[in-house]
């Protein structure tokens, strides 16, 4: 069919073909005959980006619309995943682009695999930020995601000789077609130095900060298109650069290093993502990173406020800032500095604006994960902010003391400054004092927050506490990852579920229908076969798609209890070794997840998984009935392969430890059944899908507390359970570490000595629950019915529902009215 000739905007196949060819010729500057696979990918990416710009310009225009409030999501991590596939889905042009590239002799799936995943995050927190940007744009809410453009993201993981090896993530080496550098949008950021007082022209006492160093932050913008919403929001990531990138004088003196020294040290700030999803005390570069992107972001918001022709005093009417955990919480002090020191505002009105603008989300209860900065480090890097924090704290504790006179213990517990021993700035306290709203990420988590780590704040400010249970975007995690399932569902209930997931409930009435069950199973088996082929290619392990795919993928951490899963596998192995003819159902155990490079126990757990796999996968008695796979380099791209292929979703953290979890939602939305504890969002998933469609086991959070407070003795559980003893003894005997009998001794010692995460106490209940899973999986129709009911009842866990709650209860930000 004739092209409309609009090769920048045309959505039909002919326009797209012309656009792609044009980008190969004029953007990639290649002859089509010479074009590499990456050239084709880049050309398609640019052609798609072209078609996002009109909506983007209109949406950016809305940022100046004074009647609209802008949501600023401040996060040190955005785990966006590959853009091309997601943008094709959200623009609704998957099939026309697939046909266009096919008619040009290319294969869209090959081109999709070309894209380097922007791994600008560790795990749950970073991915949640990405899902939320997708929902904000889909719900037509004006929003800006503010973060750091790390040159190197989360490391790529290779497994060598069963051990994790970290590979530098050079995600930018082939260029990034989805970002636009904005050299005209840059800000200066001060660090170090000292402060001095002066009186201004009206003789008011003022403070100036004389920095030790100044760096520049440059904006890199990425469009975030909503799903067929006509709104495209903005992801603005900051790159650090030197104010002066070349010192010519030093060069003339032949001091070449000093000539580029400022450039090198300034660029270090946004060089690399910290690969741990638990904080490490005292890493000053980490604090510099946090302050850098926060200062650029707040300065950018003040510029936009001026562009809107509004005065700074009305900032809270124009912006709602969400602090994604404590990582950006320095924003409370930085906004005060910008308003008081630079905008010359009085303290009280500045403080009121700050509290009305800021809201804080807590993502973890682990005490060691609550960020606190040693005072000396803090004052050396941010001397003015420390003064401001002291003043915030002085006024806050005055309030506390007047509210409960004489209760010095309370004041000390609430203080932003931890005075006990070494002095620290407690970032969760700064965030809580400086925010009008504080929320947890699942109902149980929010309750535990109110009862434990933030109890004193809840007693003081009960009205500030909200729960917003996490959600995931059904666009990337169903429509893009599992198109076969999406087609099957839409074929039955229409496409409304993609933006109104509650409509999935309409599937319930088909759950018992044999024909629909048959198609449902066919989709799952196809996805399992696709994953099986990739597993074969990447690990050499042959797995049977007809076996039960039992999947545990998430960051490696002792509280997530990947090693409890290993105890289950060894238990089954022992059953087979005890009686090779015993009836053990064939299962494929698929693990995946990165361990923080410095977290040795987590790395040892990976080695245990691969070592047990080595033995079980090659054992003659097992004869292939059990297969153990460690899927390398688990990330968003691989998640899109794994979640649709799972039969069983493992969510087995110690109750009270996993704030929410979001993988649990992705599995359920793709028809996997969950085996899990009453932890995080598992509790609400079980409530929604029905307890009869959920495999529950283990001590509850309260029972865990109880057990610990009564003095938990793991060895007694070991002594009292023969199968458990046999499993532990096998590990301790070196059965899985031939040649190094003591390799796993640290793990065994931890389990028998402390077992902080109660693996031994939950062992038997877990084994019994797994036997129930086996029994259930025998009845294919019943299992399939449960699977369909799971999907039908997962609508609540869409990130659209979560974002609607934030908009209504915390941000008070209405969507852009439809035209
Ligand atoms: C480097 C320091 C650091 C510390 C904590 C973190 C995050 C808080 C850890 C994290 O990702 N938490 C997870 O957040 C998810 C989204 O809310 C929850 O679903 C998970 O339960 C929680 O572990 C990242 C980096």
């Amino acid at each position: 069919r004739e092209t409309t000739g609009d090769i920048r905007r045309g959505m039909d196949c002919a326009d797209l073909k012309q656009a792609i060819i044009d980008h190969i010729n004029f953007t990639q500057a290649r002859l089509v005959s010479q074009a590499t696979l990456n050239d084709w990918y880049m050309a398609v990416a640019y052609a798609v980006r072209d078609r996002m710009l009109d909506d983007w310009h209109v949406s950016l225009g809305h940022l100046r619309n004074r009647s609209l409030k802008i949501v600023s999501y401040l996060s040190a991590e955005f785990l966006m995943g590959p853009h091309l596939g997601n943008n094709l889905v959200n623009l609704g042009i998957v099939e026309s682009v697939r046909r266009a590239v096919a008619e040009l002799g290319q294969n869209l799936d090959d081109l999709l695999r070309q894209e380097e995943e922007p791994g600008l995050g560790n795990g749950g927190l970073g991915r949640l930020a990405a899902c939320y940007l997708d929902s904000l744009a889909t719900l037509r809410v004006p929003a800006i995601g503010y973060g750091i453009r790390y040159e190197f993201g989360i490391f790529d993981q290779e497994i060598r000789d069963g051990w994790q090896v970290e590979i530098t993530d050079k995600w930018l080496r082939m260029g990034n077609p989805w970002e636009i550098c904005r050299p005209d949008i840059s800000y200066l950021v001060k660090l170090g130095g000292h402060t001095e007082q002066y009186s201004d022209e009206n003789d008011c006492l003022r403070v100036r900060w004389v920095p030790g160093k100044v760096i520049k932050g440059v904006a890199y913008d990425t469009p975030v298109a909503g799903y067929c919403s006509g709104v495209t929001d903005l992801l603005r990531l900051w790159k650090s650069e030197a104010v002066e990138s070349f010192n010519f004088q030093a060069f003339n003196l032949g001091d070449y290093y000093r000539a580029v020294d400022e450039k090198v040290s300034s660029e270090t700030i946004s060089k690399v993502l910290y690969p741990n999803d638990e904080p490490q005390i005292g890493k000053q570069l980490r604090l510099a990173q946090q302050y850098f992107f926060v200062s650029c972001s707040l300065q950018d918001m003040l510029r936009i406020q001026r562009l809107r022709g509004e005065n700074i005093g009305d900032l809270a009417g124009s912006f709602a800032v969400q602090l994604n955990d404590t990582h950006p919480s320095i924003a409370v002090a930085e906004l005060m500095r910008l308003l008081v020191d630079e905008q010359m505002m009085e303290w009280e009105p500045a403080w009121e604006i700050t509290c009305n603008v800021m809201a804080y989300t807590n993502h973890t209860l682990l005490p060691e994960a609550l960020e606190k900065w040693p005072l000396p480090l803090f004052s050396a890097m941010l001397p003015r902010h420390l003064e401001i924090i002291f003043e915030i704290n002085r006024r806050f504790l005055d309030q506390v003391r007047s509210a409960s006179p004489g209760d010095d213990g309370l004041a000390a517990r609430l203080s932003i400054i931890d005075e006990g021993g070494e002095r620290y700035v407690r970032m969760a306290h700064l965030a809580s004092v400086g925010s009008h709203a504080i929320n947890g990420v699942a109902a149980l988590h929010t309750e535990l927050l109110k009862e434990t780590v933030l109890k004193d704040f809840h007693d003081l400010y009960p009205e500030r506490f909200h729960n917003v249970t996490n959600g995931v975007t059904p666009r990337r995690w169903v429509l893009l990852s599992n198109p076969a399932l999406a087609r099957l569902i839409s074929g039955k209930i229409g496409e409304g579920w993609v933006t109104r997931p509650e409509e999935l409930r309409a599937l319930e009435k088909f759950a018992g229908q044999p024909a629909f069950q048959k198609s449902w199973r066919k989709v799952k088996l196809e996805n399992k076969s696709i994953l099986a082929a990739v597993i074969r290619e990447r690990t050499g392990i042959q797995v049977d798609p007809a076996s039960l795919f039992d999947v545990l993928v998430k960051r490696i951490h002792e509280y997530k209890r990947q090693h409890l899963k290993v105890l289950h596998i060894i238990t089954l192995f022992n059953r087979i070794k005890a009686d090779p003819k015993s009836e053990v159902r064939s299962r494929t155990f698929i693990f995946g997840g990165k361990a923080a490079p410095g977290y040795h126990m987590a790395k040892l757990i990976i080695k245990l998984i691969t070592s047990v796999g080595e033995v079980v996968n090659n054992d003659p008695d097992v004869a292939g009935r059990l297969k153990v796979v460690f899927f390398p380099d688990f990330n968003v791209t691989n998640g899109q392969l794994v979640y649709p292929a799972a039969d069983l979703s493992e969510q087995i953290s110690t109750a009270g430890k996993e704030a929410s979890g979001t993988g649990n939602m992705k599995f359920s939305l793709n028809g996997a059944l969950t085996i899990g504890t009453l932890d995080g969002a598992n509790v609400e998933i079980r409530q929604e899908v029905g307890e009869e469609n959920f495999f529950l086991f283990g001590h509850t959070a309260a029972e865990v507390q109880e057990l610990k407070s009564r003095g938990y003795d793991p060895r007694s559980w070991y002594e009292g359970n023969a199968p458990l003893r046999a499993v532990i003894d096998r590990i301790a005997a070196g059965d899985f570490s031939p040649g190094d009998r003591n390799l796993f001794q640290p793990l065994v010692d931890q389990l028998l000595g402390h077992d902080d995460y109660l693996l031994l106490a939950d062992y038997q209940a877990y084994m019994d629950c797994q036997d129930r899973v086996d029994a259930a999986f025998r009845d294919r129709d019943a299992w399939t019915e449960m699977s369909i009911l799971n999907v039908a009842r997962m609508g609540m866990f869409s990130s659209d529902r979560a974002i609607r709650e934030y908009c209504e209860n915390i941000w008070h930000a209405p969507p852009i009215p439809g035209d």
Side-chain angles (χ1 to χ4, degrees):
R1 195 173 61 66
E2 241 344 275
T3 168
T4 63
D6 187 340
I7 61 169
R8 288 290 191 184
R9 294 180 173 80
M11 291 297 192
D12 67 28
C13 185
D15 300 325
L16 289 163
K17 283 165 70 178
Q18 193 47 53
I20 295 165
I21 293 299
D22 253 53
H23 276 299
I24 288 187
N25 287 328
F26 301 108
T27 307
Q28 293 306 106
R30 277 266 164 76
L31 290 173
V32 172
S33 57
Q34 312 286 319
T36 64
L37 208 50
N38 191 65
D39 288 323
W40 282 100
Y41 157 69
M42 293 295 255
V44 173
Y46 283 118
V48 171
R49 190 183 88 174
D50 291 345
R51 285 153 178 77
M52 298 168 77
L53 294 183
D54 287 348
D55 283 354
W56 201 19
H57 292 320
V58 172
S59 303
L60 292 176
H62 283 302
L63 297 182
R64 297 167 183 237
N65 174 338
R66 299 162 64 136
S67 68
L68 290 171
K69 196 173 192 181
I70 301 167
V71 172
S72 291
Y73 202 85
L74 266 58
S75 180
E77 304 184 16
F78 285 95
L79 205 41
M80 299 296 282
H83 292 285
L84 179 55
N86 190 62
N87 287 333
L88 293 177
V89 162
N90 283 10
L91 269 65
I93 58 174
V94 176
E95 289 323 313
S96 40
V97 169
R98 184 182 295 284
R99 197 148 50 79
V101 298
E103 290 180 12
L104 293 168
Q106 302 299 317
N107 171 297
L108 181 59
D109 296 322
D110 294 345
L111 301 186
L112 287 169
R113 273 190 286 276
Q114 278 298 306
E115 181 172 357
E116 261 293 327
E117 165 167 337
L120 307 183
N122 279 284
L125 170 140
R127 180 57 229 178
L128 185 82
C131 283
Y132 280 177
L133 289 187
D134 179 82
S135 286
L136 282 159
T138 300
L139 295 173
R140 299 175 54 82
V141 177
I144 305 175
Y146 282 116
I148 302 172
R149 180 185 180 269
Y150 302 104
E151 191 174 334
F152 303 110
I154 189 71
F155 59 86
D156 296 340
Q157 178 193 56
E158 281 184 13
I159 302 296
R160 293 189 195 146
D161 178 29
W163 292 97
Q164 168 180 295
V165 174
E166 300 89 23
I167 311 293
T168 306
D169 166 45
K170 298 195 262 315
W171 71 287
L172 287 166
R173 73 176 165 282
M174 301 297 269
N176 171 17
W178 302 105
E179 68 179 8
I180 290 124
C181 178
R182 302 283 195 203
D184 55 322
I185 300 185
S186 69
Y187 300 95
L188 297 182
V189 177
K190 303 172 179 177
L191 287 171
H194 65 276
T195 67
E196 48 191 41
Q197 300 202 335
Y198 70 97
S199 15
D200 67 10
E201 61 286 350
N202 337 331
D203 238 5
C204 287
L205 201 57
R206 299 268 171 215
V207 179
R208 85 165 55 81
W209 177 14
V210 183
K213 186 179 176 56
V214 179
I215 54 178
K216 183 168 71 173
V218 177
Y220 283 71
D221 291 354
T222 299
V224 179
Y227 178 80
C228 306
S229 67
V231 166
T232 295
D233 279 330
L234 171 60
L235 173 61
R236 178 159 283 174
L237 302 178
W238 303 100
K239 176 181 183 296
S240 63
E241 290 186 1
V243 175
E244 270 321 311
S245 56
F246 191 70
N247 179 331
F248 215 64
Q249 281 64 35
F251 172 76
N252 288 340
L253 299 168
D255 184 345
Y256 303 129
Y257 283 105
R258 203 157 59 74
V260 294
D261 163 41
E262 191 189 335
K263 176 177 170 20
V264 172
S265 64
S266 301
E267 288 178 3
T268 310
I269 301 272
S270 61
K271 190 65 72 179
V272 63
L273 167 80
Y274 269 83
N276 348 288
D277 60 356
E278 298 311 331
Q280 297 183 294
I281 296 301
K283 289 277 182 293
Q284 67 170 17
L285 176 59
R286 171 85 178 165
L287 180 58
Q289 284 185 338
Q290 295 177 349
Y291 177 62
F292 164 71
F293 92 91
V294 161
S295 182
C296 292
S297 306
L298 291 175
Q299 293 186 62
D300 195 44
M301 288 163 52
L302 294 183
R303 178 185 63 85
I304 294 169
Q305 181 70 350
R306 280 189 292 274
L307 275 179
R308 285 161 69 105
E310 296 191 283
N311 61 40
I312 304 298
D314 303 330
L315 195 68
S318 312
F319 285 95
V321 171
Q322 194 64 33
L323 304 175
N324 201 18
D325 214 277
T326 56
H327 312 154
S329 59
I330 189 68
V332 171
E334 173 65 358
L335 184 54
M336 283 302 285
R337 184 186 72 84
L338 292 168
L339 296 178
V340 172
D341 292 0
E342 299 197 357
Q343 302 294 326
M344 304 310 185
M345 201 177 275
E346 287 311 304
W347 184 277
E348 290 72 17
W351 183 245
E352 195 180 332
I353 292 168
T354 298
C355 292
N356 291 338
V357 163
M358 300 291 172
Y360 158 52
T361 301
N362 173 285
H363 294 267
T364 181
L365 288 167
L366 300 179
E368 72 272 17
L370 298 176
E371 291 190 300
K372 52 183 189 177
W373 293 103
L375 239 60
L377 182 156
F378 202 101
S379 80
M381 183 174 299
L382 301 170
R384 179 54 183 148
H385 295 77
L386 191 56
E387 290 172 358
I388 289 170
I389 289 170
F390 279 158
E391 181 59 15
I392 291 171
N393 202 37
R394 184 185 66 75
R395 290 165 181 259
F396 168 56
L397 294 182
D398 283 356
Q399 246 184 28
V400 169
R401 290 199 187 91
S402 54
S404 35
D407 186 345
D408 292 342
L410 176 63
R413 289 198 310 273
L414 279 167
S415 173
I416 299 170
I417 309 298
D418 177 350
E419 308 278 1
E422 250 235 88
R423 299 175 74 202
Y424 292 94
V425 180
R426 297 191 276 209
M427 301 312 274
H429 292 216
L430 177 64
S432 300
V433 171
S435 294
H436 69 274
I438 301 165
N439 77 284
V441 291
L444 172 64
H445 171 60
T446 301
E447 286 317 303
L448 292 172
L449 264 183
K450 295 174 183 175
E451 293 154 13
T452 61
V453 272
L454 296 179
K455 180 179 182 335
D456 294 316
F457 284 99
H458 179 246
D459 297 346
L460 195 63
Y461 304 132
E463 74 290 351
R464 291 189 185 185
F465 282 76
H466 304 256
N467 176 56
V468 184
T469 296
N470 283 165
V472 299
T473 172
R475 275 72 68 179
R476 182 179 289 273
W477 297 113
V478 181
L479 218 43
L480 176 60
S481 304
N482 201 343
L485 184 67
R487 271 193 302 277
L488 182 59
I489 293 171
S490 298
K492 217 63 184 176
I493 64 170
E495 295 186 349
W497 62 275
V498 177
T499 50
R500 294 181 301 283
E502 59 280 3
E503 291 186 13
L504 283 168
R505 254 186 212 283
L507 281 175
E508 285 181 332
K509 58 184 172 293
F510 305 108
Q513 287 187 0
F516 188 61
Q517 290 185 351
K518 195 160 173 297
S519 326
W520 192 269
R521 272 197 294 275
K522 185 167 170 297
V523 166
K524 181 60 78 176
L525 190 60
E526 269 162 26
N527 293 331
K528 292 166 74 175
S529 308
I530 293 167
L531 180 59
V534 174
I535 287 173
R536 186 94 175 83
E537 180 203 320
R538 296 190 191 162
T539 70
I541 300 170
Q542 180 75 41
V543 303
D544 171 9
S547 68
L548 190 159
F549 274 25
D550 178 342
V551 184
L552 177 30
V553 288
K554 52 188 73 215
R555 288 294 297 248
I556 311 295
H557 198 288
E558 288 163 278
Y559 84 80
K560 295 173 186 280
R561 303 203 292 190
Q562 280 89 356
H563 42 338
L564 177 58
K565 176 86 240 148
V566 176
L567 299 187
H568 173 227
I569 296 170
I570 300 172
T571 301
L572 294 180
F573 180 65
N574 285 351
R575 286 183 190 168
I576 290 173
K577 296 309 282 185
D579 165 14
K581 284 185 292 315
S582 64
E583 178 45 14
V584 171
R585 297 214 44 95
S586 73
R587 271 211 201 189
T588 299
F589 300 97
I590 300 167
F591 291 85
K594 294 172 180 177
Y599 190 177
H600 302 298
M601 194 62 92
K603 294 181 124 175
L604 193 57
I605 288 171
I606 293 177
K607 178 63 179 175
L608 177 67
I609 294 166
T610 54
S611 305
V612 169
E614 203 52 42
V615 172
V616 169
N617 295 351
N618 305 298
D619 182 274
D621 296 328
V622 173
R625 285 179 284 174
L626 304 178
K627 281 290 174 67
V628 180
V629 175
F630 192 92
F631 194 98
D633 202 33
F634 184 70
N635 56 19
V636 175
T637 307
N638 293 326
Q640 292 176 205
L641 260 174
V642 169
Y643 292 120
D647 295 305
L648 188 65
S649 157
E650 296 272 352
Q651 307 299 331
I652 61 174
S653 53
T654 313
K657 296 297 180 188
E658 188 70 85
S660 164
T662 45
N664 45 11
M665 300 165 186
K666 295 161 191 169
F667 277 117
S668 271
L669 265 171
N670 283 282
L673 301 188
T674 304
I675 182 167
T677 52
L678 280 178
D679 195 19
N682 296 356
V683 176
E684 291 152 270
I685 291 174
R686 181 168 172 268
Q687 276 157 5
E688 289 294 309
V689 304
E691 54 192 68
E692 70 284 1
N693 299 310
F694 187 102
F695 296 99
L696 178 70
F697 77 96
H699 291 80
T700 64
E703 289 163 346
V704 166
Q705 280 319 314
E706 168 66 20
L707 213 46
K708 286 202 167 185
S709 58
R710 268 193 297 110
Y712 170 59
D713 167 25
R715 185 166 283 279
S716 64
W717 293 79
Y718 161 84
E719 305 292 354
N721 185 313
L724 174 57
R725 235 187 0 263
V727 167
I728 301 281
D729 293 352
R730 242 194 208 286
I731 299 172
D735 288 15
F736 303 109
S737 53
D740 179 353
R741 197 175 182 298
N742 302 320
L743 179 61
F744 299 116
Q745 202 53 44
L747 249 168
V748 172
D749 294 345
Q750 207 311 313
L751 287 176
L752 295 181
H754 310 276
D755 190 17
D756 298 325
Y757 298 103
L758 274 69
L759 279 78
L760 306 195
D762 274 348
Y763 169 81
Q764 195 53 50
Y766 184 48
M767 295 311 122
D768 301 345
C769 193
Q770 287 289 2
D771 290 342
R772 291 200 297 277
V773 168
D774 264 341
F777 197 68
R778 282 173 212 284
D779 180 341
R780 281 306 164 87
D781 297 349
W783 184 278
T784 310
E785 181 162 357
M786 287 199 280
S787 170
I788 297 167
L789 291 175
N790 255 271
V791 174
R793 297 166 180 175
M794 281 299 287
M796 170 195 157
F797 300 98
S798 161
S799 44
D800 296 357
R801 182 269 317 151
I803 289 297
R804 278 201 194 89
E805 288 179 2
Y806 277 104
C807 283
E808 274 138 37
N809 308 332
I810 296 178
W811 301 331
H812 314 297
I816 298 164
D819 20 300

